[in-house]
Amino acid sequence: MRKRKLSEGHEGGTAARSLHGLGVACGIAAGVWLGGAEAPVKLVVAGFSPFIVSLCMVAGVFVGRWTLPTVLKGTGYVFRDIRQRSHLVVWAILAGALWAVANTLTVFAIRDVGLSIAFPLWNTNCLVGLFWGWLLFRELRGAGARGWAKVLGGALAIAAAAVLLALASHQTRAPGERAWLGIVAAAGASLLWGTMYIPYRKAYLSGMNPLSFVTVFTIGELVTTALLALAFQGGVEPLLAGLRAVRPAAFWLFLGGFCWVIGDLFQQYATKYIGISRAIPLSNTNQLWGLAWAALVFGELAGAGTSARDIVIVGSSIMVLGAFSIGSAAAPETEEAACRDAIARECNRYRLNFEMAAASQRGEEPLTSEPASRRWWDGLIVAGAVVVFAMLASVAKRPPLLIDATWLLALAAIMLATLLVCGWILWKRTGFS
């Protein structure tokens, strides 16, 4: 009996380490894709309204958030999962609304202070999320001084590195008259994006699949963004006129939104398996990829001197070390126990099955007892997405920006490789559960 218990404990520890590694991989993949997805927003410098740009990007997000869950699990699975946890619908819509406002603020930030400066300012959301994870969901409770040092130290290192990278970028761009508005917009996005993770964590502690959560999430995104665009564009007619004007660039914005969905899904799975406090800082390594796109593809650091480039090297190195610190901070048994307490609290509050929620948290599929089925409209959803992208591509024009095609292809290849590798690991370990 003693041997069996020891064996079970060893297997449990191995499984926990496996999930931690999976969460870390998803967090890093999220950084790669989220960093690349923001690049199309550079189109705002071509004179398009920030609200029009945001609406087009969110439309691409909407298409992606329905298409990918349909391909991976099917709408039958998604709707069944939502019905079992219907109380989370309101939370998902709220999270989508917060995201939409934050995303619109980032467009203003990029317009007024540039992509290289805006990125680090809104990436301080990792500290906001770490606070909420500790306060509301018992994250890092029982982690000990060593665990706290690794996670908090890593998050602070990433935030400090972001500041260094911003300083390097700032040397190549003179502040405009509206620079302070860009800073305020980026700070507001940070606060909203850090708070947005509260509904995320509630959903996954309750056993909801990330694919189901984002399907509802996108309703809040699209509705809020459309309302913002209507209000600030001056009504329906000006909005339609703006959409017609941006039509040649709509494909690139849709593509950016679709790429953002892939990064966000990885981020959602990272949040599920390693919590807010670890997932957000890891996904915020998108700072490195955002800088790579800004500097290598768009030439934002073309006028940088030796000192600016040295700062970039130091800042990037610190960020990598911060990510390594967080990646090595696997939750000990005491913190795992605190997580189970948080799951039990959510289950008691909403009368959920604790065993199903706990199984989902372990990467198991709680709905396997019910037969998986595909609906006839699943194919229509995927076909509709393909048609939309094909129509937009047929009228697309090259953005009126100087772009280094070689670096664009290189960074796109890295994104694709990350998708294939991390997607395969996620499917192998959890079946996208």
Side-chain angles (χ1 to χ4, degrees):
M1 182 66 68
R2 181 186 176 107
K3 277 188 175 181
R4 182 175 180 180
K5 287 182 178 179
L6 287 172
S7 175
E8 289 174 351
H10 176 72
E11 290 175 0
T14 301
R17 287 192 295 272
S18 172
L19 283 177
H20 176 79
L22 173 65
V24 170
C26 287
I28 293 172
V32 174
W33 278 86
L34 293 176
E38 288 291 344
V41 184
K42 279 283 294 182
L43 288 168
V44 75
V45 303
F48 299 127
S49 162
F51 296 102
I52 296 295
V53 171
S54 184
L55 181 59
C56 289
M57 188 174 181
V58 169
V61 169
F62 182 86
V63 172
R65 287 199 191 280
W66 276 88
T67 305
L68 292 177
T70 298
V71 170
L72 296 176
K73 285 288 190 181
T75 55
Y77 174 94
V78 169
F79 292 151
R80 189 165 70 246
D81 192 22
I82 292 172
R83 283 196 303 270
Q84 290 195 358
R85 300 164 185 86
S86 57
H87 69 282
L88 292 167
V89 169
V90 174
W91 287 98
I93 293 175
L94 174 62
L98 291 174
W99 182 92
V101 177
N103 186 66
T104 302
L105 289 174
T106 66
V107 178
F108 280 103
I110 291 171
R111 182 193 67 184
D112 294 336
V113 295
L115 186 63
S116 300
I117 295 176
F119 248 118
L121 292 176
W122 72 58
N123 271 359
T124 55
N125 71 329
C126 64
L127 300 178
V128 178
L130 191 153
F131 171 75
W132 289 126
W134 168 81
L135 180 67
L136 299 178
F137 303 113
R138 303 183 65 82
E139 292 185 12
L140 296 174
R141 305 289 177 92
R146 185 176 181 181
W148 266 99
K150 286 185 174 183
V151 175
L152 182 59
L156 289 173
I158 289 174
V163 173
L164 285 176
L165 295 176
L167 289 174
S169 302
H170 186 69
Q171 293 184 24
T172 66
R173 176 181 177 133
E177 295 179 0
R178 298 179 299 186
W180 69 273
L181 286 175
I183 293 172
V184 171
S190 171
L191 180 61
L192 291 176
W193 269 337
T195 303
M196 176 188 69
Y197 287 89
I198 295 175
Y200 282 35
R201 194 58 173 152
K202 283 183 69 70
Y204 305 141
L205 289 175
S206 299
M208 196 176 207
N209 191 301
L211 297 172
S212 307
F213 183 78
V214 300
T215 302
V216 182
F217 182 103
T218 193
I219 296 173
E221 283 177 309
L222 188 61
V223 171
T224 303
T225 304
L227 290 175
L228 287 171
L230 279 170
F232 287 94
Q233 287 297 119
V236 176
E237 287 302 321
L239 176 60
L240 293 177
L243 290 174
R244 285 193 291 270
V246 82
R247 188 181 177 191
F251 171 77
W252 307 108
L253 295 176
F254 259 68
L255 183 62
F258 199 91
C259 292
W260 195 94
V261 170
I262 295 176
D264 183 57
L265 278 175
F266 279 125
Q267 185 175 229
Q268 300 269 356
Y269 279 108
T271 302
K272 175 177 180 178
Y273 291 123
I274 58 177
I276 300 173
S277 56
R278 292 171 173 85
I280 303 181
L282 285 174
S283 64
N284 278 2
T285 55
N286 64 351
Q287 167 70 30
L288 292 176
W289 298 100
L291 179 65
W293 281 91
L296 301 175
V297 177
F298 298 117
E300 283 196 11
L301 296 182
T306 304
S307 62
R309 290 173 181 170
D310 290 343
I311 292 174
V312 168
I313 294 173
V314 172
S316 301
S317 300
I318 292 175
M319 186 168 286
V320 170
L321 291 174
F324 179 80
S325 175
I326 294 172
S328 65
E333 177 57 33
T334 48
E335 188 179 351
E336 293 289 340
C339 178
R340 287 191 292 271
D341 290 342
I343 294 174
R345 184 189 61 192
E346 294 295 310
C347 290
N348 291 335
R349 179 177 296 166
Y350 299 108
R351 298 181 180 180
L352 303 173
N353 185 304
F354 174 80
E355 292 302 326
M356 290 182 65
S360 176
Q361 194 65 31
R362 294 192 299 268
E364 300 170 11
E365 178 51 77
L367 297 182
T368 50
S369 59
E370 300 184 37
S373 60
R374 296 278 180 173
R375 301 291 190 264
W376 61 268
W377 56 76
D378 288 358
L380 291 181
I381 291 175
V382 177
V386 173
V387 169
V388 168
F389 273 97
M391 291 176 60
L392 293 174
S394 67
V395 298
K397 294 182 179 179
R398 177 173 173 169
L401 298 170
L402 292 176
I403 295 174
D404 189 312
T406 301
W407 277 113
L408 187 150
L409 292 175
L411 292 176
I414 293 173
M415 292 173 67
L416 181 60
T418 304
L419 171 65
L420 295 176
V421 173
C422 292
W424 183 84
I425 295 172
L426 187 61
W427 172 78
K428 192 73 174 177
R429 177 63 178 80
T430 71
F432 299 111
S433 297

